[in-house]
Amino acid sequence: MAALCRRDGCRDVVVTGGADDLGADVTATLPDGRRLVIQCKHYAPHRYVPSGDMQKFLGTAWLHHRADVAVFAATCPFSKPALALAAEHRITPVHRDLLGLWNTGTPLTTLLALGGAGQGDAAHRRRWRETYGRG
């Protein structure tokens, strides 16, 4: 994530992850000067980010980390309650497919403009479940 932020012109990129990160794995300054805070979760593709994870991030992103832009990036989709919470509180959810786009060259600012729309390709998720036998 930090390397992608640097690629997209962010400054002051710091990796803070770990047990005591208070919900911020990466912090940075966007090219336009706004403070960016990213929470990262590496979950299996068949899982969903639960609303509890989003609640924890929400509790620290704005107040503790003083984010202007908050991004929750995950290697899986988000549950409906987690998405609703993110939308209500201006957190940009970046699911597995959007991570793929970011990793292959789509700038972060473009992903921010999407506001976490969609949950990726349903056919891809179905194929994964069929291949690995998980719900």
Side-chain angles (χ1 to χ4, degrees), residues 16-27 37-41 53-62 64-65 70-73:
T16 57
D20 296 323
D21 65 10
L22 294 173
D25 292 309
V26 177
T27 60
V37 176
I38 303 174
Q39 169 67 303
C40 306
K41 290 294 182 188
D53 285 2
M54 189 64 73
Q55 291 170 32
K56 290 176 189 174
F57 183 51
L58 171 62
T60 61
W62 307 118
H64 181 75
H65 296 292
V71 172
F72 195 123

Side-chain angles (χ1 to χ4, degrees), residues 26-102:
V26 177
T27 60
T29 304
L30 289 165
D32 63 7
R34 294 179 294 166
R35 180 161 175 73
L36 171 67
V37 176
I38 303 174
Q39 169 67 303
C40 306
K41 290 294 182 188
H42 186 260
Y43 290 151
H46 69 277
R47 288 195 55 192
Y48 284 80
V49 174
S51 66
D53 285 2
M54 189 64 73
Q55 291 170 32
K56 290 176 189 174
F57 183 51
L58 171 62
T60 61
W62 307 118
L63 295 175
H64 181 75
H65 296 292
R66 303 199 189 302
D68 296 312
V69 175
V71 172
F72 195 123
T75 56
C76 63
F78 291 82
S79 68
K80 288 180 183 179
L83 281 176
L85 194 59
E88 182 179 347
H89 294 283
R90 300 180 302 115
I91 294 173
T92 301
V94 176
H95 56 74
R96 164 182 201 88
D97 289 349
L98 292 179
L99 277 176
L101 289 173
W102 190 14

